[in-house]
Amino acid sequence: MGESFGHFRVQSGRKWIRSQLTLQWISGAGDPRNAIHIVLAVTDPSNPSPHKRHSLILVEPSTKGVNVVRPMMVFGYDDAPEGHCEVLYENCQLDVESGVVGGRAGLGRGFEVCSLHTLIMECGLIIDHPS
């Protein structure tokens, strides 16, 4: 969840979700070569459209408040320490222009960008593996 303070947003949250259908994590968060975390975050919880509440946030792992909590098993495989991890973001200050995909204009468009990315990947799979 984020609060706006001029050009910065203060982000706090946890990156890992377990539901009946999916388990999401940050791939490579424990790898020392990891240069950026891409986080789909709720940035406008009061927006009447549920599809315009999210933004894609770019967070450098060295940002104050980014804490890799633990490595996680994925589909029964342990790829620690550099594999998939639970990450906690505590009061991370981010520049809106460089920290949001699309800058200020990208606020609220995270769901749209992720949906487009998924569609493009699915089209690629269809082209690679026609039935």
Side-chain angles (χ1 to χ4, degrees), residues 40 51 56 109-122:
L40 181 64
H51 301 105
L56 279 177
R109 299 188 68 192
F111 184 80
E112 175 185 349
V113 173
C114 285
S115 296
L116 181 60
H117 177 262
T118 302
L119 178 64
I120 290 169
M121 287 182 62
E122 287 176 3

Side-chain angles (χ1 to χ4, degrees), residues 6 8-9 29 38 49 52 59-60 69 87 95 102 120 128 130:
F8 290 89
R9 293 190 64 80
I38 303 172
S49 170
K52 296 188 184 256
V59 183
E60 292 183 25
V69 177
V87 180
D95 180 69
I120 290 169
D128 290 343

Side-chain angles (χ1 to χ4, degrees), residues 49-125:
S49 170
H51 301 105
K52 296 188 184 256
R53 296 178 186 162
H54 303 81
S55 301
L56 279 177
I57 309 291
L58 305 176
V59 183
E60 292 183 25
S62 61
T63 301
K64 183 180 176 188
V66 175
N67 300 301
V68 175
V69 177
R70 64 187 169 121
M72 299 180 69
M73 291 185 68
V74 179
F75 304 118
Y77 295 99
D78 181 10
D79 56 356
E82 59 274 336
H84 301 78
C85 297
E86 174 184 358
V87 180
L88 179 64
Y89 301 94
E90 298 178 290
N91 300 316
C92 299
Q93 293 190 4
L94 310 166
D95 180 69
V96 172
E97 291 302 324
S98 64
V100 176
V101 174
R104 194 167 296 282
L107 286 170
R109 299 188 68 192
F111 184 80
E112 175 185 349
V113 173
C114 285
S115 296
L116 181 60
H117 177 262
T118 302
L119 178 64
I120 290 169
M121 287 182 62
E122 287 176 3
C123 288
L125 286 173

Side-chain angles (χ1 to χ4, degrees), residues 27-41:
S27 297
D31 192 319
R33 299 170 296 172
N34 182 299
I36 199 86
H37 295 179
I38 303 172
V39 181
L40 181 64

